[in-house]
Amino acid sequence: MAAFRPAGPGRLADSPVFVRGVGGAESNTACLLARAGHRVRWIGRVGTDGFGDHVLAEIAAHGVDVSAVRDPDRPTGVYFRTGGERSTTGERPTDPALAEVLYHRTGSAASAMSPATVDRAAADSGRILHLSGITAALSGGCLALLYELTAPRPGRPLLSFDVNYRVGLWKRRDPGVLLDLARRCDLVFTGADEARAAWGAAGSAAVRELLPEPSVLVVKDGARGAAAHTSSGSCHVPALSVETADPVGAGDAFAAGFLSATLRGLPLRTRLRHGHLAAAAALTCPGDLAEPPARALADRLAALDDTAWGRLRLTPGWTTRKA
């Protein structure tokens, strides 16, 4: 989607000037993976309007393949948001620390996606196919598409699924659908808060009990860290201490860092650390996309001992500093 943020602090109603960008969970992850040196294709839908031109140009500028995603009959989705954390209740926030989010994507090109609009050969061509629960909430066609892509089939790539529960999108739908989709995937990301809100699962172990099927389940718990569960056991890595500039995009960045380390065949604990480092880059940068740490820097920090890892404090600009 085309994304608009107020140029200054305050409510949407009080903001006369907005800064344009690009928003989208899957496209955020795709861009960061491409900048980490991987070959990436983004499969979505935007209109043939100016906003669609902007979205595709921005995503392609990060090195992502964006071919064959135009819809000549429907507009590109648009959304507006202030800074801050997302509300977990879906109500209009009164707390300035919470983000005010306004979507305009009913009837958009993305909401009209279905099994008929997606090239299955393109979707299956990578080593990993990364999906998001946001897509499942957009329309019946989008949900049918996710069920088709997560169906067992010969030659299916490793399926990665970020639950991305947005309470406002599921007010008149059963979020149990997200649980069903997650059970059909190989690698699942969820936040502890969203698992609690969507399914009533309190704690990482409870989420694993609900989701024993994925070969890897990652449960993120904010500043407390993240845990990964596999058939061989569980691993927990504390989060980094960061000076937060903007929380937007941190979850998408975590997924990108973890997936990048997965593609490189790194150990599970190291994958979690790369997820935290990518999230820290997003947290310390305003906007949905941040400059990720260079691979050599990320590898060096991920290899620190536990004491040194715990002493790290990352501030805005840390990914581009030479020291």
Side-chain angles (χ1 to χ4, degrees):
M1 295 172 292
F4 291 86
R5 300 165 56 85
R11 305 180 307 154
L12 293 178
D14 302 326
S15 303
V17 180
F18 290 82
V19 178
R20 184 187 63 176
V22 173
E26 301 91 341
S27 58
N28 286 344
T29 300
C31 289
L32 291 170
L33 278 168
R35 289 167 72 171
H38 302 284
R39 293 179 57 196
V40 185
R41 173 185 285 123
W42 176 68
I43 300 173
R45 299 289 279 181
V46 297
T48 54
D49 48 41
F51 287 147
D53 294 343
H54 170 66
V55 168
L56 293 188
E58 286 292 306
I59 296 174
H62 294 281
V64 179
D65 179 350
V66 294
S67 57
V69 298
R70 306 307 290 263
D71 186 326
D73 302 316
R74 297 174 181 85
T76 304
V78 176
Y79 90 110
F80 299 80
R81 67 161 291 150
T82 60
E85 298 281 359
R86 290 182 180 274
S87 170
T88 58
T89 66
E91 303 300 323
R92 185 173 179 178
T94 56
D95 184 348
L98 296 177
E100 185 182 357
V101 184
L102 179 62
Y103 291 103
H104 290 284
R105 59 182 170 193
T106 300
S108 68
S111 70
M113 287 193 298
S114 73
T117 68
V118 171
D119 181 345
R120 282 286 298 277
D124 287 349
S125 63
R127 291 169 58 192
I128 296 177
L129 175 59
H130 181 66
L131 306 169
S132 165
I134 294 174
T135 304
L138 298 183
S139 68
C142 286
L143 180 57
L145 172 63
L146 286 200
Y147 269 109
E148 180 168 301
L149 292 175
T150 57
R153 60 187 183 277
R156 189 181 85 168
L158 186 147
L159 285 187
S160 169
F161 183 71
D162 194 337
V163 171
N164 260 323
Y165 175 61
R166 300 287 185 263
V167 62
L169 293 177
W170 292 93
K171 283 184 176 179
R172 289 174 290 278
R173 299 179 177 90
D174 177 11
V177 169
L178 294 172
L179 191 61
D180 190 28
L181 289 169
R183 286 171 172 156
R184 297 158 66 94
C185 297
D186 306 301
L187 167 57
V188 173
F189 300 94
T190 187
D193 56 344
E194 62 186 353
R196 186 181 303 108
W199 310 320
S204 180
V207 180
R208 184 55 168 173
E209 287 184 12
L210 275 178
L211 281 169
E213 295 87 357
S215 55
V216 180
L217 169 67
V218 177
V219 182
K220 300 167 292 177
D221 196 10
R224 285 173 287 277
H229 302 273
T230 72
S231 59
S232 302
S234 300
C235 175
H236 180 271
V237 170
L240 291 161
S241 174
V242 300
E243 182 181 319
T244 300
D246 191 336
V248 177
D252 306 328
F254 185 101
F258 191 96
L259 290 173
S260 177
T262 298
L263 287 165
R264 295 171 61 199
L266 300 180
L268 189 62
R269 177 174 173 273
T270 307
R271 297 181 205 179
L272 286 170
R273 283 195 168 189
H274 275 276
H276 282 312
L277 288 164
L283 288 167
T284 53
C285 176
D288 284 24
L289 280 175
E291 180 66 32
R295 180 175 289 187
L297 173 60
D299 284 345
R300 182 163 62 85
L301 295 179
L304 292 173
D305 61 41
D306 289 345
T307 300
W309 177 266
R311 285 202 303 261
L312 278 178
R313 178 169 175 77
L314 303 177
T315 57
W318 71 272
T319 61
T320 57
R321 294 193 189 108
K322 293 182 179 180

